[in-house]
Amino acid sequence: MAESVGPAQVTGENRAPAGTAPAVPAWLVPRPRLTDRLARGVLGPLTVIVGPVGAGKTALALEWAHTRRLPGPLAWVTCDGRAEQSGVFWPRVVGALREAGLDLPETVTPEAEPLLVAALAADLNELGGPVVLVLDDFQPAPGSPIAEGVSSLLRHLPGVLRLVVLARRDPPLHLHRGRLTSEVTELRTDDLAFDDRETTALLAQHGIDVPKQTVSALRRRTDGWAAGLRLAAMSMERRSDPERFVAQFAGDDEAIASYLIEEVLDLQPDGMRRLLLTTSVLDHVNAELAVELSGEDAGRHFAALVRENSFLQPVGQGWYRCHQMFADVLRMCLRHETPGLVAPLHRRAAAWLGEHGLLADAVRHLLAAGDWDQAARLIVDRLAIGQVLGLTRLRLPDELIRQLPEQLSARDPEPALLAAAVARVRDDDQLCCRHLQLAERLIAELTAGEDRAVRCRLAHAVIRMDQLHSRAPEEARAAAADAEAALARLPQAGLSQHPEIPALTLMIRGGGELRAGALKAAEASLTGGLKAAGAAGNGALRRDCLVDLALLEALRGRFRGADELAAQATQPPLPAWTVAERSQGSLHLVRAWVELARAEPGRARHELTRADAVLRAMPDVFLSEVASLLAWLATAVERGGTAVVPIGDVVAASRLPRTLLRAVVPACVSLLDSVRHRGAVGAAPQQVAARPALTLVGAPAERLSARERDVLGRLAQMMTTEEIAEELYLSVNTVKTHLKSVYRKLAVTRRSAAVRRARELQIL
């Protein structure tokens, strides 16, 4: 072990004579942001500084005492922590007050404690002016004579006593009452944590100069704990490569471990020690989970652990987080003392977390236990394969991607499915296909129709859809059909928590319907996919749905709507394309349609060139036929809207579905008529062409107001009434009123009909 470093050497918590504040140590790091808070707090009756050993409580109080103007004389008492005795404590307090210059009569003597406290309160009241009393390491038991006596002083000396308490746990001084009346100032572990500037100053005291990112890394690794930073700096003085030291520095460092074991862990009773060690495998703990891991006997200590251990910090709703470096030490001790207990603890934690819906945490513990198979079964059973693939904003631990085992179970399909998903994330298509084949064979051995088999088939279909939708649309549509068949056999209540699955399925189905010429069905599917992708937080799926909807609008001749949807697909926070994807080719074709509608054939040909580059990398017969049609239209536009060959013959000669021609032929005719109507190719770009009749026939009897247009525009973005209200700073009822007015003016009754009608009328 490295040479042990005592607490006084690290944090300056040295004892001084009663009544005299210790001198400021030469190595103290100035912390004006905290001494400012202390200076304000001491204007009230009670200031509490609570933090773990080595947090720098005493050093902070010393800086404040020596550098700030105090409201009255300062009496400093260094207590004996939990070992404090009344017969020693009160003489120290009285002596400290006299040392501070207060003329207390000899009647104040340490005899009967209640009488002493009453006499002391009376004499301090007679003195009139405020007096500051610092109690360092004040840790009496709740309800003890010392705790009750100090509480009595606070009650009977309003405006006179300014008490400052430094402790490792909440002092039993009725803090809740003080919080209600705003009469208590509290600085806790998070407040005491060093920031980057203070960490830099501490390192400079040891002659260490490292980059800002290294300082931040060290501060994060120590949670800003003063003792940890000081011990790290001492070690770095002896290292030739301090940056490498910081990269490897953790709670298992010998100096850190020695300090925390001696100052904290070895002082705990057996039950508390067991509770600390067994729960150290957790990142967050609550009372029920503590009992699950430690047993009823040790679990009974949890309330005391929370109350007395300032290394444990609340994170809300009954959950607590252990200080990172102390947690590292506890885990090291657990591994050394009971190595066979570590994996079972992780499995018990995973079982509890899984039952309570905390899937990511459960998976993390199963991986820590080395149980890949059980992690796979849990993921597939909870329909969470999309979280592995990155189809939702919720992600499972990165350890999944790093820990793919070389050998998989030859009996169960779930490990093979998880391995296929991981290979997909790694962009290893060959390995993904091999694992999918293995999974398919193992799924076939399950009882057809049982719940487990259905969930496995759904996971298999989701992986295939994700793998194939960009490069093999027909196969992707077959996978989407398999997914829909599986979805129909599962409880709908559980599916609502996984919008990424219907988002992917609807996007692929809608793309297939678009290519088959079933435009109404495609619009419904893609609109549903767009909404589901938004719920899943999947920008890529949302972008691809928008692009296909834009292409659908262009094929109908609704070029203004197509332009708007294409613009939405390329606006942040939606992701940009990182590689050639089929939807990127679709976007260039939509832009080409729009440029032709603007009578800009040169720009249209530029977009066609970009689309061609994508289609050469990822061939698509449907998109290639659309591109050929657009190239012909570009030539016709260049001729002023005059076609050498009748447009109907050109479209009929293409390999586009016949059901699509009913929409495409009128769209092309309308576009060329619009170009001829302009009379010149270079017409103003803002006059986007659509079917002229739509701008004249069926227009609303009343014009939409500016606010109604705002609401309608957000309606087209698939926003809910509540989301529209929030974005426009309106009430929900006001939005509903605007929507009713829009429906009336457009002569529709539904949202989708309003958006469709507005696009036809070029209102959007």
Side-chain angles (χ1 to χ4, degrees):
M1 297 286 285
E3 181 181 353
S4 177
V5 182
Q9 293 172 269
V10 177
T11 59
E13 296 177 359
N14 50 319
R15 185 172 297 283
T20 304
V24 176
W27 45 258
L28 185 141
V29 175
R31 310 186 73 186
R33 64 185 178 91
L34 296 183
T35 54
D36 283 347
R37 291 180 60 181
L38 267 179
R40 292 191 298 270
V42 81
L43 298 177
L46 177 60
T47 302
V48 175
I49 307 175
V50 177
V53 59
K57 303 180 293 294
T58 302
L60 174 63
L62 288 175
E63 181 190 353
W64 158 76
H66 285 280
T67 63
R68 297 305 175 110
R69 184 175 179 178
L70 306 183
L74 172 67
W76 186 291
V77 177
T78 302
C79 305
D80 287 328
R82 298 182 183 182
E84 191 74 54
Q85 299 295 320
S86 294
V88 177
F89 175 76
W90 290 111
R92 281 181 178 164
V93 171
V94 173
L97 292 168
R98 287 175 175 154
E99 288 268 348
L102 299 181
D103 186 16
L104 295 178
E106 293 300 324
T107 54
V108 179
T109 55
E111 295 176 354
E113 187 167 328
L115 296 177
L116 182 149
V117 173
L120 180 59
D123 289 329
L124 288 176
N125 265 321
E126 287 184 8
L127 293 175
V131 59
V132 181
L133 175 61
V134 177
L135 300 180
D136 191 5
D137 198 19
F138 181 68
Q139 301 182 61
S144 65
I146 293 177
E148 293 303 316
V150 173
S151 296
S152 179
L153 274 183
L154 278 171
R155 285 197 307 273
H156 292 97
L157 291 173
V160 176
L161 182 62
R162 311 295 171 82
L163 183 61
V164 180
V165 174
L166 318 181
R168 297 184 187 182
R169 61 178 183 176
D170 278 358
L173 299 177
H174 309 291
L175 295 184
H176 292 294
R177 185 185 304 162
R179 289 169 186 146
L180 289 173
T181 57
S182 300
E183 293 182 340
V184 59
T185 297
E186 299 176 78
L187 279 76
R188 298 190 166 274
T189 303
D190 288 344
D191 303 307
L192 296 171
F194 272 51
D195 60 22
D196 282 2
R197 184 195 62 78
E198 293 160 346
T199 302
T200 300
L202 185 151
L203 294 175
Q205 292 178 348
H206 295 263
I208 299 167
D209 183 16
V210 292
K212 289 182 179 180
Q213 59 266 30
T214 304
V215 172
S216 296
L218 178 61
R219 190 258 309 154
R220 286 193 299 271
R221 285 181 180 275
T222 60
D223 275 346
W225 179 44
L229 291 168
R230 184 70 67 181
L231 289 167
M234 291 175 178
S235 297
M236 291 166 74
E237 286 180 317
R238 304 188 297 271
R239 306 293 176 119
S240 58
D241 188 352
E243 294 180 42
R244 182 179 179 187
F245 171 82
V246 169
Q248 299 174 344
F249 184 65
D252 56 2
D253 178 85
E254 291 185 358
I256 295 288
S258 298
Y259 181 79
L260 287 175
I261 289 172
E262 293 172 11
E263 293 295 321
V264 182
L265 189 58
D266 285 350
L267 302 180
Q268 305 299 323
D270 290 344
M272 187 75 78
R273 192 176 193 279
R274 181 185 174 194
L275 178 62
L276 283 167
L277 291 177
T278 52
T279 57
S280 68
V281 300
L282 302 166
D283 293 327
H284 297 89
V285 62
N286 65 8
E288 188 177 348
L289 185 51
V291 171
E292 180 69 22
L293 265 62
S294 307
E296 291 286 348
D297 291 340
R300 292 192 187 98
H301 294 280
F302 187 75
L305 175 66
V306 169
R307 183 176 64 249
E308 299 179 10
N309 196 312
S310 48
F311 274 114
L312 210 63
Q313 296 299 304
V315 293
Q317 298 182 331
W319 288 88
Y320 296 84
R321 178 185 73 89
C322 187
H323 189 285
Q324 182 172 317
M325 304 216 79
F326 189 39
D328 288 342
V329 170
L330 293 173
R331 289 164 187 157
M332 180 190 71
C333 292
L334 179 66
R335 290 194 303 270
H336 289 173
E337 295 177 15
T338 53
L341 190 59
V342 176
L345 283 173
H346 279 297
R347 291 191 182 96
R348 293 218 298 268
W352 189 93
L353 291 163
E355 289 173 2
H356 289 77
L358 300 170
L359 178 64
D361 291 325
V363 170
R364 187 176 292 109
H365 281 285
L366 288 171
L367 294 176
D371 200 338
W372 172 276
D373 289 4
Q374 183 58 32
R377 284 191 286 271
L378 182 62
I379 290 169
V380 173
D381 180 70
R382 301 298 169 84
L383 308 180
I385 205 72
Q387 293 182 35
V388 182
L389 296 167
L391 298 179
T392 176
R393 65 171 63 91
L394 298 174
R395 297 296 298 269
L396 292 179
D398 291 339
E399 294 93 316
L400 273 173
I401 310 304
R402 297 193 296 267
Q403 296 184 16
L404 180 61
E406 294 183 5
Q407 297 294 329
L408 298 175
S409 168
R411 298 171 300 168
D412 299 323
E414 291 92 346
L417 288 167
L418 179 56
V422 169
R424 168 64 184 149
V425 175
R426 291 179 175 181
D427 287 324
D428 189 339
D429 278 348
Q430 185 175 5
L431 184 61
C432 178
C433 290
R434 190 160 69 243
H435 287 313
L436 282 174
Q437 290 172 358
L438 172 61
E440 187 172 18
R441 179 173 59 79
L442 294 172
I443 292 171
E445 297 174 2
L446 299 177
T447 302
E450 70 173 6
D451 185 75
R452 181 187 175 197
V454 173
R455 292 172 187 269
C456 286
R457 291 192 181 282
L458 178 59
H460 192 275
V462 170
I463 298 169
R464 285 162 49 218
M465 284 192 293
D466 185 63
Q467 180 191 37
L468 299 170
H469 81 271
S470 286
R471 60 187 179 91
E474 291 297 330
E475 295 178 47
R477 285 195 281 278
D482 291 343
E484 290 180 321
L487 288 168
R489 300 179 69 91
L490 292 173
Q492 294 302 306
L495 294 175
S496 63
Q497 301 176 15
H498 299 281
E500 70 278 5
I501 299 176
L504 181 60
T505 306
L506 288 168
M507 187 269 289
I508 292 173
R509 185 175 75 186
E513 290 164 341
L514 173 62
R515 284 161 170 74
L519 298 188
K520 287 187 178 180
E523 182 178 25
S525 296
L526 292 169
T527 301
L530 183 65
K531 186 174 183 179
N538 190 312
L541 285 179
R542 183 172 171 79
R543 178 200 65 199
D544 290 353
C545 286
L546 284 168
V547 169
D548 271 356
L549 282 168
L551 180 58
L552 187 151
E553 290 292 273
L555 291 169
R556 284 173 164 172
R558 300 170 183 172
F559 304 119
R560 190 183 296 275
D563 187 33
E564 189 173 288
L565 288 165
Q568 290 180 33
T570 57
Q571 291 174 354
L574 296 186
W577 287 270
T578 55
V579 295
E581 296 181 34
R582 187 169 278 99
S583 60
Q584 192 173 7
S586 298
L587 178 68
H588 292 309
L589 294 179
V590 171
R591 287 174 171 169
W593 273 108
V594 172
E595 294 300 342
L596 289 175
R598 289 172 174 158
E600 292 284 356
R603 293 182 179 179
R605 289 196 183 278
H606 175 68
E607 294 293 343
L608 287 172
T609 300
R610 299 177 71 182
D612 183 62
V614 176
L615 294 175
R616 280 201 304 270
M618 307 192 74
D620 186 299
V621 174
F622 176 79
L623 295 182
S624 295
E625 289 297 312
V626 173
S628 298
L629 176 60
L630 286 171
W632 181 90
L633 280 173
T635 301
V637 171
E638 288 167 343
R639 296 169 57 89
T642 302
V644 176
V645 180
I647 184 65
D649 293 346
V650 174
V651 175
S654 71
R655 288 182 289 176
L656 293 172
R658 294 293 169 259
T659 52
L660 189 61
L661 301 185
R662 288 192 296 270
V664 173
V665 171
C668 294
V669 170
S670 176
L671 187 149
L672 295 180
D673 286 346
S674 176
V675 171
R676 287 194 296 272
H677 180 71
R678 289 169 184 263
V681 172
Q686 65 268 26
Q687 296 176 349
V688 180
R691 287 173 289 178
L694 293 181
T695 65
L696 301 173
V697 180
E702 300 177 53
R703 294 178 61 86
L704 299 184
S705 69
R707 183 58 79 187
E708 288 168 350
R709 285 174 177 269
D710 288 340
V711 171
L712 183 59
R714 283 154 181 81
L715 204 65
Q717 298 175 35
M718 302 301 297
M719 295 175 68
T720 65
T721 303
E722 290 74 15
E723 290 169 340
I724 296 172
E726 182 177 355
E727 181 160 321
L728 295 180
Y729 300 99
L730 300 172
S731 71
V732 172
N733 285 336
T734 300
V735 172
K736 290 180 178 178
T737 299
H738 285 310
L739 285 175
K740 289 179 181 177
S741 179
V742 169
Y743 294 165
R744 177 179 58 78
K745 291 179 180 180
L746 296 180
V748 297
T749 58
R750 293 179 298 127
R751 289 178 168 226
S752 58
V755 172
R756 184 165 58 249
R757 180 69 171 154
R759 286 176 178 154
E760 290 174 350
L761 298 174
Q762 301 185 43
I763 294 173
L764 285 176

